[in-house]
Amino acid sequence: MEDQERSPELFLFLASTVHDMKNSISVLSGTLENLLVQEQPSPDQAQAWPQMAHMLYQTRRLNDNLMQLLALYKDLGKPTYPFDPRPVQIRELVQQVADQERVLLQSKQIALDTDFDPQLIGTFDEDLVIGVLAHAVNNAVRYTHDRIRLSVEQKDDMLEFRVEDNGAGFPPSMLEAGAAVGKGVNFLTNSSGLGLFFSSEVARMHRHRQRTGSIALENGGKLGGGCFVLRLP
Amino acid sequence: MKTSAAKIGDITDVNWAEKRYLIVDDFVGIRQLLRESLRNIGAKHIDQASSGGEAMTLLARTHYDVVLCDFNLGEGKNGQQVLEECRARNLMIPSSVWLTVSAEKSVESVMGAAEHQPDAYIIKPITEGVLLTRLNRVWHRKQIFREIDRAYIEKDYLRAAKLCDEQIAENKIHELDLLRMKANLLMKAGEPDQARAVYERVLEEREYNWARTGLGKIRMANGDLEAARQMFHNVMTENRYYIDAYDQLAAALLTMGEYEEACAVLESAAKLSPNSVQRQRTLGNTALRVGNIALAEKAFRKSIQVGEYSVFKTVDPYFGLARVCGQKGDIKEALALLAVVRRDFPHDVVELRSKIIEGLVYHESGDYRRARKAGDELEEMLKADPARPDTATCMEMATLLFAVGVKEAPVELLCHVIRNNHDNQLLLDDVQKVFEQARMSEEAEALIASSRREATEVMNKGVLLWKTGKLAEAVEWMREARQRLPDNMRILFNSAQMLISHMQKHGYDEALMMEANSVLMHVDRIAPGQQRFAQLIEQLQQLLPGRGITPAAEDGVF
């Protein structure tokens, strides 16, 4: 199968990248931890303490997320991931994605609009799709001015998830990378492909009656910026 | 339609603030984070444990409404084993929620024993919103399944299946779970055709491995083993990590007598998901059977290791390993294992089986004098007590007694086995093999034929009495038959059937009710999951005063 053919180089790429990132995060969190466990702060430092504690919390989250991502990648490539599509209420899905991103969005004063039919039910692997959408929102934070929109809609037998922003849109290189995903793009030369590859693998795992899930990157949308689109059968 | 993210949450009216929580994780940092999350959803009563053992102590003392338990807990029990022991010891009340927390969603962490599944899995890191969503979902699901679960515990599978239908009409989001449960119930109730209709309805919507495996199980129950084998194979080709299909395929192959192939399938399954006490034990037994001593040793050792902290810890892998050691000539370890067994599992049957295995170990390692001594002791025990142990023990004992040169006692044992299993061809083949090893092939045929005839005659006489309307005599005859053939499934079932018919005709009778119930419980103990079992239980339930026959039940339609 094609998964097997390209997995060795992907593993190599992933292993080294993640290892490198984890080193940086370890230093960050270690330093923060050391500062925090020192004796009681002097009065002029006291104000910074809660903020530093929050930084540590965020760093830990980042570390956890990375480990989780690595686990999913490893499993997706192998594939030993216990893929488990079940009926999910879209209302609950959106709620979970929004909650994961809440702290980040609030601290950057970005608003999240959601748009979906509260009665809508979709069939997919909930944990994987939450991972993809949270990743897409994280990514949109980099491009948006102050607004991100998460919408879910049933469209011609496919469930369409859109993460849109009101920024300047994706640069041409990203649009190309998005179009190339799934067509054998060389990830060793394209570092921005990591998240896209993860998302496209998740999409591809979802199959129903000869139809397969897919992802796309576009510019425009309701907010006029970049759009990440996930379509599931 | 536009909604704001903040408002999406408040959909259920569960008061999570007043519940009692237990957090189980070996890392203090994670426990603090989880406690923080719980505090943020309003929780006030939160306990913590840093290991499986500590969790068990707390769980035995307090009824928790919600348990958040990490899968990896370092030394000792893992999260799944804590859950299994909790369920086995009834430490959780039915409304309690068990959430298994895991750093990654691995096959291993979500492949527990089917009957000891947590209510939900959550992957770290856990945010409040995800926690609250999953808690509310589990709570909602528990409301829907409350009555169904109660009927299930009472083994009233057909009533439970009807309750599933009632819930499906109102709860679209849980339809799939309810259909899965319904099919499972119908299988247990001995209604494979109706179960098949459910699986086929599900498969029209979408390809689910469990539904396809379910269809395979139905084929297997109907004796169409070749078709079942093909269906399990297809599921495995499609999804190489759907372990249940492996276990089912192995079961089908074992029933077909394809031991080599069954062994290979179990070996692959054990590689994918090595922490199942039962699977490793089955692998060990199958490997021992096909003479793959190295594999049997590995499997038995693993079974003992993972069973150490599990409620599924049984004596079988110790006996298996002792036999492996005997065949390798390592008498010392074999005897040490038997000493452990006698110390850790003090029980009459265990004492008896230890003696048998000891004799076999001596014999296989060439110490004929000690083997003979064990055989003599067993012969004395047989003479002293007319009650016979279970089938597998009888077979092992006969094997040993033949090996040490005793003749009459093992023949008597094997005839007992035949009488109690007169329509199990695979077992009769095994009996034949034991006779052959003792160079008694010729006598075997006659003995098997006459023992089978004896059982058939006992049965026929009972059925004749019943059919000619002599119900009381039939009931009495079957009562005696049960004494002579205590483990014969057909006789047990027919006996229960006649007791029920008697009450259907002549009215409810407390004593007959108790008798029928105890016969059925005996069947369920020696061979769980029989098709006729659930049907008879249902009929029995209908006889209870105040539990009239509903029109739907009469038609057998629901």
Side-chain angles (χ1 to χ4, degrees):
Chain A
M1 293 202 0
E2 68 185 307
D3 287 317
Q4 311 270 274
E5 280 167 26
R6 64 182 177 201
S7 53
E9 56 176 355
L10 178 70
F11 284 149
L12 209 68
F13 164 67
L14 278 172
S16 61
T17 312
V18 171
H19 198 77
D20 199 39
M21 289 193 280
K22 280 206 67 179
N23 279 340
S24 302
I25 292 175
S26 297
V27 172
L28 254 178
S29 74
T31 310
L32 277 167
E33 219 165 326
N34 285 340
L35 286 170
L36 278 164
V37 294
Q38 277 168 11
E39 281 124 58
Q40 282 302 304
S42 59
D44 56 320
Q45 288 175 318
Q47 219 185 348
W49 238 244
Q51 281 178 301
M52 252 162 59
H54 188 69
M55 274 166 71
L56 178 62
Y57 168 70
Q58 288 295 335
T59 319
R60 288 242 176 89
R61 258 176 58 87
L62 196 54
N63 187 53
D64 282 349
N65 266 320
L66 205 53
M67 284 173 66
Q68 181 185 339
L69 201 64
L70 177 66
L72 290 184
Y73 268 110
K74 180 187 77 185
D75 285 348
L76 280 169
K78 271 193 173 170
T80 59
Y81 181 83
F83 183 61
D84 181 27
R86 336 183 95 250
V88 178
Q89 242 153 15
I90 297 304
R91 179 173 48 74
E92 290 184 355
L93 177 89
V94 172
Q95 183 189 337
Q96 293 175 73
V97 174
D99 179 75
Q100 281 205 8
E101 300 304 306
R102 189 166 41 92
V103 178
L104 179 65
L105 295 173
Q106 273 172 3
S107 67
K108 295 199 161 258
Q109 296 181 313
I110 297 169
L112 179 70
D113 298 337
T114 57
D115 189 357
F116 57 91
D117 172 359
Q119 304 301 322
L120 193 57
I121 292 173
T123 300
F124 46 82
D125 187 303
E126 185 180 22
D127 291 317
L128 286 179
V129 172
I130 288 177
V132 168
L133 295 178
H135 194 96
V137 173
N138 267 332
N139 197 50
V141 168
R142 275 170 60 196
Y143 294 93
T144 189
H145 292 307
D146 58 359
R147 191 161 286 276
I148 294 173
R149 179 176 180 270
L150 168 59
S151 69
V152 190
E153 196 182 354
Q154 187 75 41
K155 239 182 185 176
D156 311 326
D157 277 4
M158 298 288 267
L159 197 57
E160 188 175 282
F161 305 78
R162 299 184 70 91
V163 176
E164 305 175 338
D165 63 66
N166 63 351
F170 290 114
S173 66
M174 279 290 286
L175 290 176
E176 277 164 35
V181 166
K183 291 178 192 162
V185 69
N186 183 359
F187 289 97
L188 288 168
T189 59
N190 185 358
S191 66
S192 69
L194 186 76
L196 284 177
F197 179 78
F198 173 61
S199 304
S200 81
E201 283 297 289
V202 169
R204 267 165 24 112
M205 286 172 91
H206 288 84
R207 277 178 204 165
H208 181 43
R209 296 210 179 111
Q210 273 83 49
R211 282 176 290 117
T212 305
S214 64
I215 61 158
L217 292 183
E218 297 167 5
N219 280 332
K222 285 237 165 91
L223 299 183
C227 321
F228 167 86
V229 189
L230 169 69
R231 292 188 186 94
L232 299 179
Chain B
M1 174 145 344
K2 216 158 226 197
T3 42
S4 87
K7 280 187 204 151
I8 310 166
D10 323 316
I11 43 147
T12 57
D13 48 359
V14 193
N15 185 359
W16 294 111
E18 290 308 319
K19 307 273 185 215
R20 199 162 266 286
Y21 295 82
L22 175 65
I23 297 168
V24 189
D25 200 303
D26 53 339
F27 283 102
V28 63
I30 300 289
R31 289 203 300 277
Q32 279 165 353
L33 280 175
L34 284 175
R35 197 182 53 195
E36 211 45 50
S37 297
L38 288 175
R39 289 251 168 89
N40 288 342
I41 64 169
K44 299 185 197 93
H45 320 290
I46 307 169
D47 286 340
Q48 298 181 36
S50 61
S51 70
E54 205 184 315
M56 285 316 308
T57 312
L58 289 171
L59 284 158
R61 202 184 297 153
T62 312
H63 278 309
Y64 291 98
D65 300 300
V66 180
V67 180
L68 287 170
C69 183
D70 196 65
F71 180 77
N72 292 303
L73 292 173
E75 279 287 291
K77 280 180 199 297
N78 67 28
Q80 181 64 32
Q81 288 167 332
V82 175
L83 170 61
E84 283 166 6
E85 182 166 342
C86 249
R87 293 258 159 91
R89 289 171 57 189
N90 278 323
L91 296 178
M92 299 279 287
I93 46 177
S95 63
S96 328
V97 172
W98 190 286
L99 296 179
T100 291
V101 180
S102 170
E104 56 172 309
K105 193 168 176 182
S106 64
V107 172
E108 199 193 4
S109 65
V110 299
M111 279 288 173
E115 67 272 33
H116 296 295
Q117 290 286 328
D119 296 305
Y121 295 95
I122 300 191
I123 309 177
K124 286 189 229 174
I126 300 174
T127 58
E128 289 117 49
V130 173
L131 184 62
L132 200 55
T133 303
R134 307 264 164 125
L135 279 176
N136 282 330
R137 188 189 301 170
V138 169
W139 183 84
H140 187 230
R141 192 179 177 281
K142 276 195 184 277
Q143 306 309 305
I144 291 170
F145 275 86
R146 198 171 45 191
E147 288 296 313
I148 299 167
D149 285 343
R150 189 179 304 161
Y152 186 100
I153 288 163
E154 288 170 8
K155 297 188 192 254
D156 195 350
Y157 301 129
L158 290 172
R159 183 163 62 92
K162 278 173 220 149
L163 291 169
C164 285
D165 272 343
E166 286 171 20
Q167 292 294 346
I168 287 169
E170 291 164 39
N171 293 283
K172 187 90 182 82
I173 187 73
H174 292 291
E175 184 183 18
L176 195 66
D177 279 345
L178 287 161
L179 285 172
R180 186 175 185 171
M181 180 59 142
K182 184 183 166 189
N184 188 18
L185 288 162
L186 289 168
M187 281 300 280
K188 280 189 171 294
E191 299 284 358
D193 288 338
Q194 292 189 48
R196 176 165 49 216
V198 176
Y199 286 132
E200 280 166 356
R201 173 177 157 195
V202 168
L203 288 170
E204 267 173 37
E205 291 293 315
R206 207 171 265 264
E207 286 285 321
Y208 288 102
N209 292 318
W210 56 265
R212 289 172 65 198
T213 307
L215 284 180
K217 285 182 202 169
I218 291 171
R219 287 289 170 87
M220 190 152 74
N222 290 344
D224 194 351
L225 295 167
E226 192 50 52
R229 173 200 209 157
Q230 197 54 51
M231 296 182 89
F232 298 138
H233 241 297
N234 289 346
V235 175
M236 284 160 60
T237 315
E238 195 78 353
N239 184 343
R240 276 177 297 159
Y241 299 93
Y242 192 70
I243 303 285
D244 192 33
Y246 287 73
D247 290 338
Q248 298 300 331
L249 177 60
L253 291 167
L254 286 174
T255 316
M256 293 164 94
E258 306 263 6
Y259 300 108
E260 294 274 357
E261 211 184 324
C263 192
V265 171
L266 285 165
E267 195 182 1
S268 325
K271 263 192 201 130
L272 288 174
S273 178
N275 291 337
S276 157
V277 185
Q278 300 102 309
R279 184 178 303 118
Q280 293 286 358
R281 184 188 58 209
T282 312
L283 173 59
N285 285 332
T286 314
L288 194 59
R289 188 173 183 123
V290 301
N292 188 341
I293 301 300
L295 180 59
E297 176 170 0
K298 217 174 112 203
F300 285 133
R301 284 195 196 282
K302 184 76 184 172
S303 182
I304 290 171
Q305 183 216 323
V306 287
E308 184 60 34
Y309 300 102
S310 163
V311 280
F312 297 117
K313 178 174 177 172
T314 65
V315 72
D316 296 304
Y318 291 87
F319 283 139
L321 187 57
R323 290 209 59 186
V324 165
C325 291
Q327 298 201 9
K328 284 170 63 191
D330 187 351
I331 309 253
K332 224 173 144 193
E333 196 190 346
L335 293 180
L337 281 163
L338 292 175
V340 168
V341 164
R342 285 180 171 125
R343 187 196 65 207
D344 290 357
F345 304 87
H347 194 275
D348 285 352
V349 182
V350 169
E351 185 54 44
L352 176 72
R353 286 189 66 193
S354 301
K355 184 58 72 184
I356 299 167
I357 302 294
E358 189 185 306
L360 285 169
V361 166
Y362 280 131
H363 182 77
E364 276 159 5
S365 63
D367 190 340
Y368 301 116
R369 196 178 58 81
R370 284 205 169 85
R372 174 76 212 205
K373 189 165 164 286
D376 289 344
E377 285 171 33
L378 283 170
E379 217 185 336
E380 286 307 312
M381 286 161 86
L382 283 175
K383 276 182 196 151
D385 182 4
R388 295 289 169 257
D390 63 280
T391 298
T393 309
C394 283
M395 297 280 284
E396 270 177 346
M397 190 160 19
T399 309
L400 171 68
L401 290 173
F402 274 141
V404 298
V406 181
K407 240 183 164 179
E408 235 167 83
V411 168
E412 190 269 319
L413 275 172
L414 291 177
C415 287
H416 172 82
V417 168
I418 302 162
R419 281 195 302 271
N420 277 301
N421 300 276
H422 73 282
D423 52 3
N424 181 344
Q425 190 52 50
L426 210 62
L427 187 69
L428 295 180
D429 291 345
D430 284 349
V431 170
Q432 175 88 28
K433 273 186 208 127
V434 177
F435 274 123
E436 274 164 21
Q437 272 170 6
R439 300 180 195 286
M440 289 181 67
S441 321
E442 284 166 37
E443 295 96 319
E445 246 169 83
L447 284 167
I448 289 176
S450 74
S451 301
R452 288 185 75 171
R453 196 162 50 238
E454 196 184 326
T456 316
E457 277 166 8
V458 169
M459 176 94 72
N460 289 348
K461 169 133 190 229
V463 173
L464 187 70
L465 283 170
W466 182 37
K467 281 195 172 157
T468 51
K470 295 170 183 156
L471 286 195
E473 284 168 59
V475 164
E476 181 53 34
W477 174 263
M478 293 310 279
R479 205 172 273 147
E480 280 168 30
R482 290 201 321 260
Q483 301 255 312
R484 283 164 65 193
L485 308 164
D487 293 335
N488 188 304
M489 210 68 71
R490 292 267 301 274
I491 286 184
L492 291 169
F493 274 136
N494 281 343
S495 186
Q497 179 75 69
M498 287 177 199
L499 288 163
I500 289 167
S501 301
H502 189 278
M503 280 188 279
Q504 281 167 345
K505 226 171 198 146
H506 300 295
Y508 178 76
D509 180 315
E510 180 86 32
L512 292 185
M513 171 60 94
M514 301 286 274
E515 186 180 349
N517 193 58
S518 88
V519 170
L520 288 174
M521 289 307 139
H522 179 61
V523 172
D524 198 42
R525 222 171 16 251
I526 54 178
Q530 291 288 312
Q531 305 229 348
R532 265 180 91 186
F533 173 78
Q535 286 168 331
L536 292 175
I537 285 282
E538 165 91 354
Q539 289 184 31
L540 209 53
Q541 295 267 2
Q542 299 285 0
L543 286 166
L544 282 172
R547 200 42 102 69
I549 296 172
T550 61
E554 227 165 17
D555 298 339
V557 184
F558 49 94

